[in-house]
Amino acid sequence: MRKRDLKKALIHLILIAGIGVTILPFFWMITTAFKTQGESVQMPPIWLPSAWRFDAFREVLAKPNFLTVYGNTIITTVVTVLGQVGLCAMAGYGFARIRFPGRDLLFVLILGVLMIPSQIFLMPQYLIIQNLGLLNTIPALFLPNLFSAFGTFLLRQSFLSLPKELEEAAMLDGCSRFQIFYKIMLPLTKSSMVALSIMVMKFAWNDLMWPLIVNTSAKKMTLAPTLASMISEYGSNYPVQMAGAVLSILPIVILFIIFQKQFIEGVASTGVKG
Amino acid sequence: MGRKKPSRRDVKDWLWGYGMVAPLVAGLIIFYFYPFVQSIYMSFTKTGAFNRSTWNGITNYVELIGDETFWQSLKNTLVYVIMTVPVGILLSIVMAGLLNSKIKGTSFYRTVYFLPSVTMAAAISLVWRWIYNGDYGLLNVILGFLGIKGASWLTNPNTVMIAIGIVGIWCSCGYNTIILLAGLQGISSNYYEAAAIDGAGPWYVFWKITFPLLSPTIFFVMVTSLINGLKTFDMVYMMVPTSSPVYKEAQTVVMYFYRNAFEYGDKGYASSIAVVMFALIMLITVFQMKFQKKWVIYD
């Protein structure tokens, strides 16, 4: 028995070391954000600030446009999640459960888009946004991301796994297609929709390149490019940079802590299915 | 088989079908299918004044072959991939294996390891830039305690890709661990019980049971890590600004594409980079699909 306990202790030791490596950058980000600029470059460094000052946070929040950018990011994320999941669920149901001429051909088209790396779409997408006169607007931030081949594929799979009898019974009761979809099938695929929502949310909130491409006005930006611009703006003022970083990751981290089961299980299942 | 004339109910159902897929299909055609075709077309054009483009055949591709900056960016990207993918996957397999043992607190470990993959790459890059700082960075302070004199990691051409690679592994390791752990938990305990009865050693069990049964999951993680590695942009963009002395040694293909398309305004040339990247990713995917038959076992 002694040998087994030793083995367990060793495993815990390695796993705890892993936690240390994972947490340390977050710890450093948070404690730096509460330091004064002098304290942040003090040698040897101090692990905790001498007092928990909110000056750096106040400076970030007082920065022109920071709150606007925060709002932009929230709007973009909410619209992208609702729009993409809604459109993908409708189409996923159509492809999984309704027979209509040309269905398989259209689905092959979707599979094709799914396999193509996203960079190749970027420039023509930019030109479309430009032609629509939408550069430097909020809709530019989310428009192409409302449509997803991956999301459609994922939700189609989950509709396919539901028993057919449910629909047939509802059909006999005189429900319309949309009622069947909305009232019966949609609630049964909740876990897949939650998994997709989380993936889309993470992407929309954290994305750097697309906002950088379509919007140049600081007022119409999202958080990730704003953090990038803070590097040159605040040079060696690390507490302010770290305060910006803390504020930018906070909403997703809080959601992750509340819904950790859904976050992790959604990812775990993609690998097993894939 | 004679074709039946569709009944009214059939037609009504068709209309529902078209109605439900139409918004998505229209969006995909406008924002994805058409752009794909246009990118390929544009790669054969030259962007002139006022964004007017003229056909110029394969000139962009010929230019690309002779473009040292492009080759350097491709090399940087491949170095990043070769550094991060094998080490990252190996580390993830080990961590998943440890988490799969019968110990307490696994869900806590899981949650913490997963944290980097939900946080914004831009924010993570900001803090790692600070950690890597040559004068006041945490890394050099810790190394100093151990009596090692650290470098100025992000401005030294020899260390910049390693430094970024470490952040890449730090970001994705927990995510891959979760996927691999799910794969491990999917292996029926019958196999292990049978092996235990036969008195098989741990090494034998790993190579004859765990690895083959986990191989589809490892394959999945490998393909996604490889493709994500080839598409690296955010972290390098954040940690190595244009003004950096090692900019050339760190620029990735996607960054070079981005600069050509949106900073130099050479859309035709940028398109040819995008097409080459597309071809490269397709090639690697096909190669992996072929090669997987040799080692991946699906039941």
Side-chain angles (χ1 to χ4, degrees), chain A residues 12 15 101 120 125 177 260, chain B residues 13 18 31-32 39 109 111 113:
Chain A
H12 275 296
L15 291 172
I120 203 163
Q125 284 178 340
R177 269 291 178 189
Q260 41 178 296
Chain B
D13 222 31
Y18 288 125
F31 284 104
Y32 294 86
S39 260
Y109 291 123
T111 306
Y113 294 158

Side-chain angles (χ1 to χ4, degrees), chain B residues 216-227:
Chain B
T217 319
I218 298 177
F219 178 69
F220 173 79
V221 171
M222 210 166 90
V223 174
T224 47
S225 312
L226 225 116
I227 291 176

Side-chain angles (χ1 to χ4, degrees), chain B residues 73-206:
Chain B
S73 71
L74 191 64
K75 191 189 132 201
N76 297 340
T77 311
L78 292 178
V79 165
Y80 176 84
V81 168
I82 290 165
M83 230 166 31
T84 55
V85 174
V87 178
I89 290 182
L90 210 67
L91 204 63
S92 304
I93 294 177
V94 171
M95 292 313 257
L98 292 176
L99 281 175
N100 198 34
S101 47
K102 290 191 186 81
I103 51 163
K104 285 196 187 101
T106 45
S107 70
F108 171 71
Y109 291 123
R110 250 179 20 150
T111 306
V112 176
Y113 294 158
F114 199 73
L115 192 60
S117 70
V118 305
T119 42
M120 186 185 287
I124 283 169
S125 309
L126 218 52
V127 72
W128 277 94
R129 251 186 105 245
W130 172 216
I131 290 172
Y132 281 138
N133 183 300
D135 300 319
Y136 310 107
L138 185 62
L139 180 64
N140 281 355
V141 170
I142 293 173
L143 289 175
F145 283 135
L146 303 170
I148 303 166
K149 195 174 169 342
S152 184
W153 304 99
L154 291 174
T155 49
N156 182 329
N158 297 320
T159 54
V160 62
M161 275 331 255
I162 300 173
I164 295 170
I166 288 172
V167 183
I169 294 173
W170 180 83
C171 270
S172 60
C173 184
Y175 187 86
N176 291 337
T177 302
I178 300 303
I179 296 177
L180 288 164
L181 178 62
L184 281 177
Q185 286 165 344
I187 299 174
S188 160
S189 60
N190 293 344
Y191 294 107
Y192 293 111
E193 281 156 18
I197 291 168
D198 292 344
W203 198 243
Y204 184 87
V205 169
F206 178 80

Side-chain angles (χ1 to χ4, degrees), chain A residues 22-23 26 194 197-199 201-202 205-206 248-268, chain B residues 106-120 171 174-175 178:
Chain A
T22 310
I23 287 294
F26 288 106
V194 169
S197 304
I198 288 171
M199 273 183 246
M201 176 184 74
K202 251 168 37 181
W205 186 273
N206 296 336
S248 304
I249 67 171
L250 203 60
I252 301 277
V253 170
I254 290 173
L255 283 174
F256 170 60
I257 290 168
I258 300 171
F259 298 107
Q260 41 178 296
K261 204 173 141 237
Q262 285 80 0
F263 268 75
I264 293 174
E265 270 162 19
V267 169
Chain B
T106 45
S107 70
F108 171 71
Y109 291 123
R110 250 179 20 150
T111 306
V112 176
Y113 294 158
F114 199 73
L115 192 60
S117 70
V118 305
T119 42
M120 186 185 287
C171 270
Y175 187 86
I178 300 303

Side-chain angles (χ1 to χ4, degrees), chain A residues 65-75 205 223 247-248 250-251:
Chain A
N65 302 328
F66 191 83
L67 286 174
T68 317
V69 163
Y70 218 91
N72 294 346
T73 314
I74 293 172
I75 294 169
W205 186 273
L223 282 164
L247 290 173
S248 304
L250 203 60

Side-chain angles (χ1 to χ4, degrees), chain A residues 8 11-12 14-16 18-19 21-26 28-29 32 40-45 47 87-91 93-95 97-102 106 109-110 113 115-130 132 143-149 152 171 176-178 181 202 205-209 212-213 223-224 227-228 230-231 235 238 241-242 244-245 248-249 252-253 256 260 263-265 267-272 274, chain B residues 9-10 13-21 23-36 38-40 42 51 94-95 98-99 101-124 126-131 133 135-138 141-142 145 170 175 178-179 182-183 216-217 220 227 231 233-235 237-239 241 254 257-258 261-262 266-268 270-271 274-275 277-278 281-282 285 298:
Chain A
K8 273 189 183 174
I11 291 174
H12 275 296
I14 300 171
L15 291 172
I16 289 167
I19 289 212
V21 174
T22 310
I23 287 294
L24 191 62
F26 288 106
W28 202 235
M29 183 197 280
T32 304
S40 72
V41 291
Q42 200 172 313
M43 280 291 150
W47 287 103
L87 289 174
C88 289
M90 264 169 57
Y93 175 77
F95 281 118
R97 281 310 162 88
I98 307 179
R99 286 187 179 284
F100 53 88
L106 285 176
L109 185 115
I110 288 180
V113 172
M115 284 168 62
I116 300 170
S118 56
Q119 270 69 28
I120 203 163
F121 307 124
L122 284 173
M123 203 161 39
Q125 284 178 340
Y126 165 83
L127 293 174
I128 293 169
I129 298 287
Q130 190 182 38
L132 291 172
L143 207 52
N145 295 325
L146 295 179
F147 312 99
S148 161
T152 308
M171 207 83 95
S176 80
R177 269 291 178 189
F178 197 76
F181 162 69
K202 251 168 37 181
W205 186 273
N206 296 336
D207 190 28
L208 173 68
M209 206 198 294
L212 215 52
I213 290 171
L223 282 164
L227 284 186
M230 280 174 70
I231 293 177
Y238 289 103
Q241 289 183 19
M242 292 306 117
S248 304
I249 67 171
I252 301 277
V253 170
F256 170 60
Q260 41 178 296
F263 268 75
I264 293 174
E265 270 162 19
V267 169
S269 65
T270 55
V272 175
Chain B
R9 236 191 81 193
D10 283 344
D13 222 31
W14 291 357
L15 290 178
W16 271 115
Y18 288 125
M20 291 185 86
V21 304
L24 178 103
V25 170
L28 282 183
I29 289 174
I30 296 169
F31 284 104
Y32 294 86
F33 198 73
Y34 165 71
F36 174 66
Q38 205 195 356
S39 260
I40 293 175
M42 277 169 68
N51 261 335
V94 171
M95 292 313 257
L98 292 176
L99 281 175
S101 47
K102 290 191 186 81
I103 51 163
K104 285 196 187 101
T106 45
S107 70
F108 171 71
Y109 291 123
R110 250 179 20 150
T111 306
V112 176
Y113 294 158
F114 199 73
L115 192 60
S117 70
V118 305
T119 42
M120 186 185 287
I124 283 169
L126 218 52
V127 72
W128 277 94
R129 251 186 105 245
W130 172 216
I131 290 172
N133 183 300
D135 300 319
Y136 310 107
L138 185 62
V141 170
I142 293 173
F145 283 135
W170 180 83
Y175 187 86
I178 300 303
I179 296 177
T217 319
F220 173 79
I227 291 176
K231 297 202 288 195
F233 174 82
D234 290 21
M235 285 188 314
Y237 180 87
M238 292 291 294
M239 287 196 268
V254 176
F257 157 78
Y258 171 83
F262 303 107
D266 197 346
K267 302 203 160 44
S271 297
V275 171
M277 260 219 33
F278 160 72
I281 289 182
M282 283 295 149
T285 313
Y298 293 98

Side-chain angles (χ1 to χ4, degrees), chain A residues 97-176:
Chain A
R97 281 310 162 88
I98 307 179
R99 286 187 179 284
F100 53 88
R103 180 182 76 168
D104 296 341
L105 191 75
L106 285 176
F107 193 68
V108 168
L109 185 115
I110 288 180
L111 288 180
V113 172
L114 183 67
M115 284 168 62
I116 300 170
S118 56
Q119 270 69 28
I120 203 163
F121 307 124
L122 284 173
M123 203 161 39
Q125 284 178 340
Y126 165 83
L127 293 174
I128 293 169
I129 298 287
Q130 190 182 38
N131 287 335
L132 291 172
L134 289 175
L135 291 182
N136 273 320
T137 62
I138 302 300
L141 295 170
F142 59 71
L143 207 52
N145 295 325
L146 295 179
F147 312 99
S148 161
F150 171 78
T152 308
F153 181 75
L154 186 84
L155 295 185
R156 173 181 172 265
Q157 293 299 97
S158 72
F159 282 118
L160 279 178
S161 68
L162 298 175
K164 268 216 151 88
E165 290 75 21
L166 276 173
E167 272 171 298
E168 280 155 11
M171 207 83 95
L172 289 177
D173 287 346
C175 287
S176 80

